[in-house]
Amino acid sequence: MSSATETASPDRQTDEHAGTSPQRGRVLRRVLVTLGVLGVVVAVVVAGALWFLTDRYAGNVDRVSEVFATLDDGARPAPSAPAEQAGEEPVTFLLVGSDTRATAEEGIAAGGRSDAIMIARFSADRQHAQLISVPRDSWVDIPGHGRDKVNAAYAYGGPALLVQTVEQLTDVRIDHYVAIDFEGLIQVTDDLGGVDVVVAETTSNGPYTFPAGVNHLDGDQARWYLGQRYGLPGGDFDRVRRQQQYLQAMFGKLFSSDTFTDPGRLDAALLAVTSAVAVDEQLGNAEVLSLAYSLRGLTPDNVDFFTAPVLGTGTEGAASVVYLDDVAGERMWGYLQTDSLSQNAEEFSTQALPDVPR
């Protein structure tokens, strides 16, 4: 029989000195293994969710091929250099809108001309954005074709020549290209349950009258509202402002709390938005998701809308054209080059989207 003063075995001494019995050690190992397995499961679930979102939304976006492939990189503007350094680089898109998506994969609207041309900039701090419309009748130099309306570049050489023309006009480097089907975006209006726009003066177009004040538009009403050009005091300039106003209202509704609390409505709207655009092939699904995530703090209130500065209108031959203001434009484009347009927005108040477009 063992004595009460028997010396403990070396293994037992080690366990006692460590403060852990063999049973407690086994329990600890099981807990660690379980936590490890749970970590793997969580990682797989998160990765699967990200893959699902990427495939469902970013994967729903078509690609436009060879937008930048033929451009001479050495002759293009240098990337924008922010006056104040931030964690990211500014990103500049050229948005080209048309009334049909029949040829969206090639980035060319039916008839070979674009209905809307816009430069969209997301600032390096990802807290600000600017959208600048370039009137489609702007009289500009088109490389290799002399002077013509800016949207003629679309007909002469597709997206590549339009990018080259806009870069030459602004000296701002375009990072990505987006073809927008306004007809497709109008579907988003119905998916969101309609959007509200404020009209300055009562106007009519087609079967609809838009009284002064707040108008709640469904998809078909939005189609006629955006399509109006004649009967507006500013003609195509007012049409451009309505396009900006509609985008502002639509995305404001898309990112409202009412939409985010209705998963079905949000899913339908996001599918409609992504199916209404095509982007250059250099912008892959992962890049789309990464950019979208980096913009999570951007709100509609921090998006400024402008029209490129204009001197006036005139005629060139039989064509009605818009003459751009090179002096004011140079200042605006210079602020884009230094990513400081949001800080200097007041300087272009006459080019900004008014609270109530006509």
Side-chain angles (χ1 to χ4, degrees):
M1 187 171 66
S2 298
S3 168
T5 59
E6 182 179 2
T7 304
S9 68
D11 289 343
R12 183 175 178 182
Q13 286 180 333
T14 301
D15 288 335
E16 288 174 348
H17 291 161
T20 305
S21 68
Q23 183 176 359
R24 289 180 63 189
R26 286 192 294 272
V27 170
L28 179 60
R29 283 193 294 272
R30 290 194 192 101
V31 170
L32 292 175
V33 170
T34 301
L35 289 176
V37 171
L38 286 176
V40 171
V41 170
V42 169
V44 169
V45 169
V46 170
L50 289 175
W51 175 87
F52 173 79
L53 292 175
T54 301
D55 183 68
R56 185 164 181 79
Y57 301 125
N60 199 37
V61 177
D62 286 330
R63 295 301 189 274
V64 182
S65 61
E66 298 186 350
V67 176
F68 299 97
T70 61
L71 299 183
D72 179 1
D73 197 63
R76 299 180 64 198
S80 297
E84 297 181 6
Q85 293 300 315
E88 305 281 354
E89 295 296 327
V91 181
T92 307
F93 286 79
L94 182 63
L95 311 182
V96 179
S98 68
D99 289 333
T100 179
R101 201 178 184 205
T103 53
E105 289 75 10
E106 289 76 36
I108 302 175
R113 300 214 175 200
S114 56
D115 300 301
I117 299 171
M118 305 176 184
I119 300 170
R121 157 63 60 82
F122 296 111
S123 64
D125 64 11
R126 297 296 190 265
Q127 300 300 308
H128 302 88
Q130 301 86 42
L131 190 146
I132 306 168
S133 292
V134 179
R136 60 183 180 176
D137 292 338
S138 298
W139 192 246
V140 302
D141 285 314
I142 298 178
H145 297 274
R147 293 184 71 79
D148 207 330
K149 294 183 179 183
V150 66
N151 71 344
Y154 217 69
Y156 291 140
L161 184 59
L162 184 58
V163 167
Q164 189 179 5
T165 300
V166 172
E167 287 189 338
Q168 178 176 276
L169 172 68
T170 64
D171 200 30
V172 173
R173 189 180 182 95
I174 301 299
D175 299 307
H176 294 291
Y177 176 91
V178 181
I180 303 175
D181 168 25
F182 272 101
E183 185 71 18
L185 281 187
I186 285 169
Q187 175 61 44
V188 182
T189 305
D190 288 328
D191 292 330
L192 291 173
V195 298
D196 293 336
V197 298
V198 183
V199 178
E201 303 171 7
T202 299
T203 63
S204 297
N205 192 33
Y208 299 109
T209 295
F210 306 104
V214 177
N215 285 247
H216 185 75
L217 305 180
D218 62 22
D220 193 56
Q221 291 170 323
R223 181 182 295 106
W224 287 94
Y225 180 74
L226 292 172
Q228 185 168 5
R229 179 178 184 181
Y230 301 106
L232 298 178
D236 204 46
F237 295 116
D238 286 336
R239 184 173 186 241
V240 165
R241 295 185 184 100
R242 284 188 173 190
Q243 290 171 349
Q244 294 181 348
Q245 178 198 38
Y246 170 76
L247 290 175
Q248 185 182 53
M250 185 194 72
F251 282 105
K253 184 69 173 291
L254 178 62
F255 293 106
S256 70
S257 59
D258 290 344
T259 302
F260 272 90
T261 55
D262 187 336
R265 172 181 288 183
L266 178 62
D267 181 63
L270 288 175
L271 287 174
V273 169
T274 52
S275 67
V277 300
V279 303
D280 63 274
E281 60 186 356
Q282 295 182 10
L283 190 63
N285 290 351
E287 288 77 14
V288 170
L289 193 64
S290 176
L291 178 62
Y293 181 75
S294 75
L295 293 169
R296 64 193 181 277
L298 179 66
T299 65
D301 291 338
N302 288 330
V303 181
D304 296 315
F305 293 82
F306 303 98
T307 299
V310 169
L311 280 178
T313 60
T315 58
E316 295 289 339
S320 298
V321 301
V322 172
Y323 298 113
L324 297 178
D325 184 339
D326 293 335
V327 175
E330 186 174 353
R331 293 200 308 274
M332 179 178 280
W333 312 134
Y335 289 136
L336 273 187
Q337 291 160 7
T338 57
D339 199 33
S340 58
L341 183 54
S342 63
Q343 296 93 314
N344 296 279
E346 288 299 322
E347 187 174 331
F348 303 99
S349 58
T350 58
Q351 287 84 31
L353 175 66
D355 291 336
V356 184
R358 291 181 294 200

